[in-house]
């Protein structure tokens, strides 16, 4: 009796591989289209690289901005750096926040020494 092989997983091992290939295909396609208009392969290729790089950079920037806005709005009114009136502040339901660190133990290695420059 013959055993059947399990189906192969054709997903790329690198999660960014699909995006890299998409960017390369977009650059090649845009370079071909620009070559038809400009009739200069080098200029078309350079312009395609710049345009695709700019689009990818803008998309990643907008995505991170949207994620930051969603995380900030998803805190349900908490304001950790605010006046303390919210649920996470000193007067909130969790009680007072952590006590301030001992100034003598805050920097045990002396990284914040001013070396006598700030009088």
């Amino acid at each position: 009796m013959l055993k059947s092989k399990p189906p192969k997983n054709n997903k790329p091992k690198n999660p960014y591989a699909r995006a890299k290939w998409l960017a390369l295909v977009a650059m090649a396609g845009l370079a071909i289209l620009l070559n038809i208009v400009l009739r200069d392969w080098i200029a078309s290729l350079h312009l395609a690289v710049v345009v695709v790089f700019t689009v990818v950079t803008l998309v990643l920037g907008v995505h991170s901005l949207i994620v930051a806005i969603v995380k900030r709005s998803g805190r349900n009114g908490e304001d950790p750096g605010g006046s303390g009136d919210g649920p996470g502040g000193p007067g909130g339901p969790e009680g007072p926040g952590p006590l301030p660190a001992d100034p003598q133990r805050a920097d045990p290695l002396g990284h914040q020494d001013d070396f006598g420059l700030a009088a």
Side-chain angles (χ1 to χ4, degrees), residues 25-119:
V25 169
M27 278 187 227
L30 187 59
I32 290 170
L33 291 175
L34 286 171
N35 185 41
I36 293 171
V37 175
L38 299 175
R39 301 202 185 275
D40 184 9
W41 270 107
I42 300 299
S44 301
L45 185 61
H46 286 134
L47 189 58
V49 168
V50 168
V51 168
V52 171
F53 181 80
T54 303
V55 168
V56 168
T57 303
L58 289 175
V59 167
L60 289 174
V62 168
H63 177 264
S64 63
L65 183 63
I66 290 172
V67 168
I69 291 171
V70 168
K71 281 185 179 181
R72 182 169 174 87
S73 66
R75 288 192 294 176
N76 297 328
E78 292 179 19
D79 191 12
S83 62
D85 294 336
E94 290 90 20
L99 296 175
D102 182 17
Q104 299 296 328
R105 300 283 299 159
D107 190 19
L109 298 177
H111 288 108
Q112 295 179 358
D113 287 341
D114 62 355
F115 301 107
L117 297 175

